[in-house]
Amino acid sequence: MTRRLQYKIQKQHNGKSIGMFLKEKEYSRAVVIELKKTQAGIKRNGTWAGVNEIIKTGDILEICLAEQAYSENIVPKKGRLNILYEDEDILVVNKPYDTPIHPSVNNYDNTLANAISYYYHQQNRPYIFRCINRLDRDTTGVTIIAKNLLSGSILSRRMKEHHLSRIYVAFVEGITEEEGTIDLPIGRMEDSIIKRKVDKKEGKSAVTHYRRLEVFQIEGQAVSVVALQLETGRTHQIRVHMSAIDHPLLGDFLYNENNHMLTRQGLHAAYCAFYHPITGEYMKIAAPLSQDMERLIQQGLNRSQEGYDLENKLLALKW
């Protein structure tokens, strides 16, 4: 894909080098190196320019991010793709369950990466897969994909610095407190490469905040729907923390193997807020519940109408 950007130099940048200006615009060193390799990757007033050139008020700086490569190990394969938002820099989808993010030994062509590669292959556009927030195979919801090297580097850094605000929704056993904070370190289970546990001696710090949204009964068993925000991003953090306070997720075969109300763990990445990596616009993107969660909550709340108003429920929260 090719992304072209144009900047009119303002007074506050007069006398700075192009390299300094790009750094202020959050261009990473890796992005600048690629621009230097690209013919006419950087142009000042229509002429190919180097990063050490000095810019003046009123100059027009043109940037060309040209990528003709593609992710060689990702086979284009049509799949479920629910697009929530798309522009020149980012693609945001509502990831379905039973869908891994990346191909692996046992998941060669059934992943989100395959479906997105197919989507752009149909448009004859070369594409490198850059997923910003990775979800477990059976976790549904908001997943952000960068469409170029610049948006990818900016969002990846913000993700590491916890500058992407995310809210998850979980269906858990029992009636939780109305709200709470779980501050318990998490470490790897000794006899498993996948499973995690609360480990107060050797675990890494993990903090989860939660608010209860709903309570209902299914076949005599109480279920709470909770919204969660994470201060940290440990593997299986929500699943481990909710199990630790005796409210394990429905359908979680790892941490609650006897519950079969859902066929997968009841966890959904419901909402994400962040500043657009290029325009700076503040983005708020919500993903509706998947069909299995929607059916369960309608059954539990004894409602016949379709569409649980999840987005407004989340926006009403005061974290």
Side-chain angles (χ1 to χ4, degrees):
M1 294 189 184
T2 299
R3 178 70 164 103
R4 299 182 187 278
L5 298 163
Q6 187 178 92
Y7 305 95
K8 184 174 182 179
I9 303 305
Q10 304 300 312
K11 186 177 180 180
Q12 66 267 30
H13 295 116
N14 184 62
K16 293 182 178 180
S17 69
I18 291 175
M20 186 178 297
F21 174 82
L22 294 178
K23 185 176 181 180
E24 289 184 16
K25 292 294 182 181
E26 299 187 82
Y27 283 66
S28 67
R29 183 171 180 272
V31 174
V32 172
I33 288 173
E34 286 301 313
L35 288 175
K36 289 163 71 175
K37 294 179 185 176
T38 304
Q39 185 174 6
I42 304 171
K43 291 168 71 176
R44 172 174 168 257
N45 298 329
T47 302
W48 193 1
V51 294
N52 293 322
E53 287 193 27
I54 301 302
I55 50 179
K56 298 179 180 179
T57 304
D59 281 352
I60 301 297
L61 198 64
E62 297 173 83
I63 303 298
C64 178
L65 294 158
E67 292 183 300
Q68 298 303 318
Y70 58 92
S71 298
E72 295 181 358
N73 297 322
I74 299 176
V75 177
K77 182 70 177 291
K78 188 175 183 179
R80 294 174 291 173
L81 195 60
N82 182 359
I83 297 175
L84 300 171
Y85 176 84
E86 183 178 16
D87 62 21
E88 291 184 274
D89 302 294
I90 59 174
L91 172 72
V92 185
V93 303
N94 186 359
K95 188 184 86 65
Y97 63 87
D98 194 27
T99 303
I101 293 288
H102 291 280
S104 61
V105 174
N106 297 317
N107 299 284
Y108 180 65
D109 61 2
N110 63 330
T111 72
L112 183 65
N114 297 118
I116 292 175
S117 181
Y118 177 86
Y119 174 65
Y120 289 115
H121 180 75
Q122 293 298 103
Q123 301 174 37
N124 294 316
R125 304 176 75 182
Y127 179 69
I128 295 176
F129 183 71
R130 298 182 176 98
C131 185
I132 304 303
N133 61 314
R134 296 175 177 85
L135 303 179
D136 291 341
R137 176 183 185 130
D138 282 331
T139 299
T140 54
V142 176
T143 308
I144 305 170
I145 313 297
K147 291 176 64 173
N148 56 62
L149 184 61
L150 179 59
S151 61
S153 68
I154 292 174
L155 287 175
S156 293
R157 189 187 70 254
R158 291 180 185 174
M159 183 74 177
K160 290 177 182 178
E161 295 173 352
H162 307 290
H163 291 160
L164 274 72
S165 175
R166 292 174 292 161
I167 299 177
Y168 291 84
V169 167
F171 284 42
V172 303
E173 286 188 1
I175 303 175
T176 68
E177 298 291 332
E178 287 190 6
E179 61 181 77
T181 295
I182 308 166
D183 186 352
L184 295 169
I186 293 175
R188 191 187 298 273
M189 193 77 78
E190 291 83 357
D191 57 352
S192 174
I193 62 171
I194 299 174
K195 202 170 182 180
R196 301 300 196 267
K197 67 174 183 177
V198 170
D199 187 344
K200 295 183 179 180
K201 289 185 178 180
E202 299 181 3
K204 294 182 179 180
S205 173
V207 180
T208 303
H209 306 285
Y210 69 89
R211 298 277 182 89
R212 193 178 70 212
L213 298 176
E214 303 283 357
V215 175
F216 55 83
Q217 296 276 334
I218 295 287
E219 298 178 353
Q221 180 172 332
V223 174
S224 294
V225 181
V226 293
L228 308 106
Q229 269 196 334
L230 309 181
E231 283 191 23
T232 50
R234 307 302 176 201
T235 300
H236 296 178
Q237 179 171 321
I238 290 172
R239 298 162 70 182
V240 172
H241 271 177
M242 296 311 293
S243 294
I245 64 169
D246 298 320
H247 295 291
L249 273 62
L250 307 187
D252 189 345
F253 70 93
L254 269 182
Y255 303 100
N256 190 20
E257 60 184 11
N258 294 321
N259 186 289
H260 301 286
M261 286 187 181
L262 293 170
T263 59
R264 50 93 183 189
Q265 74 259 12
L267 185 59
H268 178 67
Y271 176 86
C272 190
F274 57 97
Y275 288 98
H276 191 283
I278 307 302
T279 68
E281 178 187 358
Y282 192 61
M283 312 285 294
K284 297 179 182 179
I285 299 176
L289 292 173
S290 57
Q291 290 183 354
D292 59 343
M293 284 184 159
E294 183 73 34
R295 283 193 298 266
L296 193 64
I297 200 169
Q298 296 296 358
Q299 179 186 350
L301 296 176
N302 195 26
R303 297 175 179 171
S304 58
Q305 74 269 25
E306 294 184 1
Y308 179 70
D309 192 6
L310 177 63
E311 184 173 359
N312 282 329
K313 285 274 187 181
L314 296 178
L315 291 175
L317 295 175
K318 303 296 182 183
W319 292 93

